[in-house]
Amino acid sequence: MKNLLAYFKNYKLESILGPLFKLLEASFELFVPLVMAQIIDVGIKNRDMAYIMGRGGILVLLGVVGLACSLTAQYFSAKAAVGIGTKLRNDLFRHINSLSYREIDIVGTSTLVTRMTSDVNQVQAGINLTLRLFLRSPFIVFGAMIMAFTINIKAALVFVVAIPLLSVVVFGVMLMTMPLYKKVQKQLDQVLLTTRENLLGARVVRAFNRQEDEIARFGRENDRLVGLQVFVGKLSALMNPVTYVIINGAIIILVWTGAWQVEEGVITQGEVVALVNYMSQILVELVKLANLIINISKALACANRISGIFAQESSIKEKQDCAETGPKETDLAESTPRVEFRNMDFYYAGAKEPSLSGISFSAFQGQTIGIIGGTGSGKTSLVNLIPRFYDAANGKVLVDGIDVKDYSLSCLREKIGVVPQKAVLFKGSLRDNMKWGKRDATDEEIYRAIDTAQAREVVEAKEKGLDLLIQQGGRNLSGGQKQRLTIARALVRQPKILILDDSASALDFATDAALRKAIKEDTKDMTVFMVSQRAATIKNADQILVLDDGKLVGLGSHRQLLDNCQVYREICLSQLSKEEVAR
């Protein structure tokens, strides 16, 4: 929470002027009952129309000046709140992008989305209301009580009793509701998670005809959220009627005692009306204060949740004296592997057993490395360690003879082109998407990469060339088209290391074969890692890594592994004919 207070430093002036103008407005408002008392006791009593009009003019003037102060306060408060909200959202987005895969796995995507949207909006609204009302409402409450004492000390004693009672109610409700609002926001995470899973898996849900089950699951999560919100709402709703009862009871006592004092000549009728007006002002301000406290409770709960995200630090640490470039290509000895794993172990967060253990191999410049194994054998985990999306628990991962932990992340990933399992394209033109790999790429370079990725027909079929508009997530493209374009995007960079993580799974065998041939011919100096479930895709690789249950059970060429690796032989025989296996 303390970290969030630092955001006020750029809005110090607005944070001071907003409450200041609200206090000025409140000051003018406190004079209104006194002017009304004078109109009743002097103007109406003496039937002096000129006096009444004069005091009426003062009331109008107080109203106009108060309105001007109020609008000015609203402007400064809104400017500070929106500015802080914008900066907070930007910093939170930047921080989330600095987290490694490990932290994102732990926190969860739906939680991060809630923090970025709902929680930041609640904090922004809380800041706005706080700057406008946090000083104004207490000022009016205690100011009205002081003004009441200037009118009549005995009558004002009612205020001394009423205000503490009201404070107990207001702050008691606040203490009860604040922890409950945290639960509400946490349940909102669950609703968002359910919604996100259902939308992302809409095709699977329909394929298995599970719409009713998903509707029921969403209904259960939503009902829990509604139940919590209703319960908190009932507690919060107690505030208004209880405060009204206390205030109206105080007004009854005030009018009753005031009537006797007027009869005895101790107090005037105008002063009784002024006292009632002050009590009414206290009622209005305490209702505002009650709503303010509810909103502050929500904002504080959300601020603590946001602080929790800021407290998450990336497990990927860059050294201050990290290698910026590594060895030059001309200095790289032929005996130095492009990528090397030395007895590497890797654990996912919270896992008791390693996902990868004892992995050792070397990949040299220009080699194609095939990686194959059963589902969950650790293929994707292995290639994710090369660009340092995760860190190894033990052992080392080296690129160009240097530990990846000794590189800056930007320098390391500049060497690597990654095509993930799930093809992701962003909304915008095809040219913009292709330039993700290289910002200054020319159209000629882009088309060369598109040709290598066997995607030229995709571009030509759309008849808009590189100006083709890609919809969000590439919705206007098929799975195979998206895969080929994501491969082209990685090739535009001309990386030293190319990682294809099962990125041709949606391609037919002919296109897959043409793609492999083009990559081999056009990327002679690249070290290419091909992760695949298909034996045909990787059997011509220079080296093949066979993974089974997180262990490297086979390393060598297709021929060598057929003779020495039972797991590889079984995979090949299950997918290929004996003639294809023998080739």
Side-chain angles (χ1 to χ4, degrees):
M1 183 63 198
K2 291 180 180 178
N3 294 335
L4 299 185
L5 294 176
Y7 286 90
F8 282 88
K9 68 180 181 181
N10 295 324
Y11 294 92
K12 289 179 182 176
L13 183 63
E14 289 82 359
S15 300
I16 293 171
L17 290 178
L20 180 62
F21 276 97
K22 270 295 178 182
L23 290 180
L24 286 173
E25 179 206 357
S27 300
F28 292 125
E29 194 171 319
L30 288 173
F31 286 112
V32 170
L34 294 180
V35 177
M36 283 298 302
Q38 291 175 345
I39 290 174
I40 294 170
D41 291 339
V42 179
I44 295 176
K45 181 180 179 181
N46 300 327
R47 297 183 181 181
D48 187 345
M49 185 58 67
Y51 186 87
I52 292 172
M53 293 300 291
R55 289 295 180 269
I58 293 174
L59 285 178
V60 172
L61 181 62
L62 288 173
V64 171
V65 175
L67 177 62
C69 291
S70 178
L71 291 175
T72 306
Q74 298 274 29
Y75 169 76
F76 285 119
S77 299
K79 184 179 179 182
V82 172
I84 290 169
T86 302
K87 186 75 166 60
L88 178 60
R89 196 176 290 108
N90 288 336
D91 287 352
L92 184 59
F93 185 77
R94 188 180 296 108
H95 180 73
I96 290 171
N97 273 279
S98 73
L99 298 177
S100 71
Y101 282 16
R102 180 187 178 89
E103 286 72 47
I104 293 173
D105 292 342
I106 292 170
V107 177
T109 306
S110 59
T111 299
L112 294 174
V113 171
T114 306
R115 300 293 189 276
M116 280 285 300
T117 52
S118 174
D119 286 353
V120 173
N121 288 340
Q122 288 282 9
V123 170
Q124 182 175 309
I127 291 171
N128 193 358
L129 287 172
T130 300
L131 292 177
R132 288 195 285 118
L133 298 176
F134 190 69
L135 292 180
R136 182 188 190 281
S137 293
F139 182 81
I140 290 268
V141 170
F142 291 104
M145 185 174 70
I146 292 168
M147 297 298 282
F149 273 99
T150 63
I151 294 172
N152 185 277
I153 295 175
K154 188 175 180 181
L157 291 176
V158 177
F159 289 77
V160 177
V161 177
I163 290 175
L165 281 175
L166 289 166
S167 300
V168 169
V169 171
V170 169
F171 287 102
V173 172
M174 181 191 73
L175 291 174
M176 286 189 293
T177 55
M178 189 178 291
L180 291 173
Y181 279 119
K182 293 181 181 178
K183 291 184 179 180
V184 168
Q185 290 298 113
K186 189 174 182 180
Q187 184 57 31
L188 183 61
D189 285 348
Q190 285 299 116
V191 172
L192 183 61
L193 174 63
T194 305
T195 305
R196 184 175 182 276
E197 284 183 341
N198 193 271
L199 293 175
L200 290 176
R203 295 181 181 181
V204 177
V205 171
R206 284 161 177 74
F208 285 88
N209 197 28
R210 296 293 296 269
Q211 293 95 317
E212 294 301 322
D213 294 336
E214 288 301 305
I215 290 169
R217 184 163 77 100
F218 178 82
R220 287 192 297 271
E221 296 294 347
N222 200 36
D223 287 344
R224 289 193 192 100
L225 175 63
V226 171
L228 281 170
Q229 287 177 323
V230 168
F231 181 66
V232 179
K234 285 179 178 177
L235 283 178
S236 300
L238 284 174
M239 197 178 296
N240 282 2
V242 173
T243 51
Y244 270 98
V245 166
I246 294 172
I247 288 292
N248 287 322
I251 289 174
I252 290 170
I253 294 171
L254 197 59
V255 172
W256 177 266
T257 56
W260 288 106
Q261 288 178 318
V262 169
E263 186 71 23
E264 294 170 0
V266 177
I267 194 172
T268 65
Q269 293 175 336
E271 289 173 335
V272 173
V273 171
L275 288 171
V276 171
N277 282 341
Y278 280 129
M279 190 63 75
S280 298
Q281 281 185 350
I282 290 173
L283 171 62
V284 171
E285 291 306 319
L286 280 172
V287 170
K288 288 181 182 178
L289 186 60
N291 291 324
L292 170 65
I293 289 171
I294 290 170
N295 280 282
I296 288 177
S297 300
K298 291 180 183 179
L300 288 174
C302 293
N304 287 327
R305 284 154 53 88
I306 293 169
S307 293
I309 300 300
F310 278 120
Q312 288 279 350
E313 293 186 4
S314 176
S315 57
I316 306 293
K317 300 294 183 183
E318 294 185 72
K319 292 186 178 179
Q320 294 297 321
D321 56 344
C322 54
E324 288 300 326
T325 59
K328 295 180 180 179
E329 290 298 300
T330 53
D331 298 335
L332 190 65
E334 291 185 8
S335 59
T336 303
R338 177 69 79 185
V339 176
E340 184 180 3
F341 279 62
R342 292 181 185 171
N343 198 28
M344 190 278 307
D345 298 335
F346 170 68
Y347 291 78
Y348 280 106
K352 295 181 180 179
E353 296 295 325
S355 298
L356 293 166
S357 61
I359 305 295
S360 296
F361 71 91
S362 298
F364 291 86
Q365 180 177 332
Q367 281 191 331
T368 297
I369 311 298
I371 303 176
I372 196 168
T375 301
S377 60
K379 301 184 296 298
T380 297
S381 301
L382 178 69
V383 293
N384 278 339
L385 292 165
I386 300 172
R388 208 184 170 199
F389 294 149
Y390 296 96
D391 266 344
N394 301 304
K396 289 186 176 182
V397 180
L398 299 95
V399 171
D400 291 342
I402 298 175
D403 193 325
V404 292
K405 295 179 181 178
D406 292 331
Y407 280 97
S408 65
L409 292 178
S410 58
C411 175
L412 174 64
R413 292 170 185 172
E414 194 70 30
K415 295 171 176 280
I416 302 168
V418 180
V419 185
Q421 278 182 313
K422 184 179 179 182
V424 177
L425 294 170
F426 298 92
K427 186 175 181 180
S429 70
L430 177 57
R431 181 182 287 102
D432 292 338
N433 272 273
M434 292 298 104
K435 285 188 175 182
W436 270 65
K438 186 179 179 184
R439 293 183 181 180
D440 58 349
T442 64
D443 288 0
E444 183 183 350
E445 290 174 316
I446 293 172
Y447 273 116
R448 192 183 307 127
I450 286 172
D451 287 336
T452 303
Q454 308 301 298
R456 171 73 78 157
E457 64 181 77
V458 177
V459 178
E460 291 179 347
K462 300 294 183 179
E463 298 180 351
K464 291 186 179 179
L466 297 179
D467 294 321
L468 169 67
L469 181 64
I470 305 294
Q471 293 181 6
Q472 182 184 355
R475 289 178 300 180
N476 55 332
L477 300 169
S478 69
Q481 289 172 336
K482 285 192 289 186
Q483 283 192 338
R484 281 178 279 173
L485 289 175
T486 51
I487 292 170
R489 180 176 60 194
L491 289 170
V492 167
R493 174 182 278 182
Q494 288 293 302
K496 295 180 176 67
I497 301 165
L498 178 64
I499 297 172
L500 304 174
D501 186 6
D502 205 12
S503 52
S505 57
L507 305 184
D508 59 78
F509 285 98
T511 306
D512 185 18
L515 174 64
R516 282 184 280 116
K517 182 181 177 183
I519 288 176
K520 192 168 185 67
E521 291 175 352
D522 299 342
T523 61
K524 291 182 179 178
D525 292 330
M526 279 187 205
T527 302
V528 181
F529 286 84
M530 280 189 173
V531 176
S532 182
Q533 301 280 3
R534 296 178 182 175
T537 299
I538 55 91
K539 76 185 189 75
N540 293 321
D542 299 305
Q543 275 194 98
I544 299 172
L545 310 181
V546 184
L547 296 176
D548 185 40
D549 197 23
K551 294 182 174 62
L552 186 61
V553 297
L555 173 61
S557 66
H558 172 69
R559 290 285 181 189
Q560 291 170 334
L561 291 172
L562 282 177
D563 297 332
N564 303 324
C565 182
Q566 178 68 26
V567 174
Y568 182 75
R569 187 163 51 251
E570 288 176 358
I571 291 172
C572 288
L573 291 174
S574 67
Q575 297 181 10
L576 307 173
S577 65
K578 290 184 178 180
E579 292 77 12
E580 290 174 316
V581 171
R583 277 186 223 154

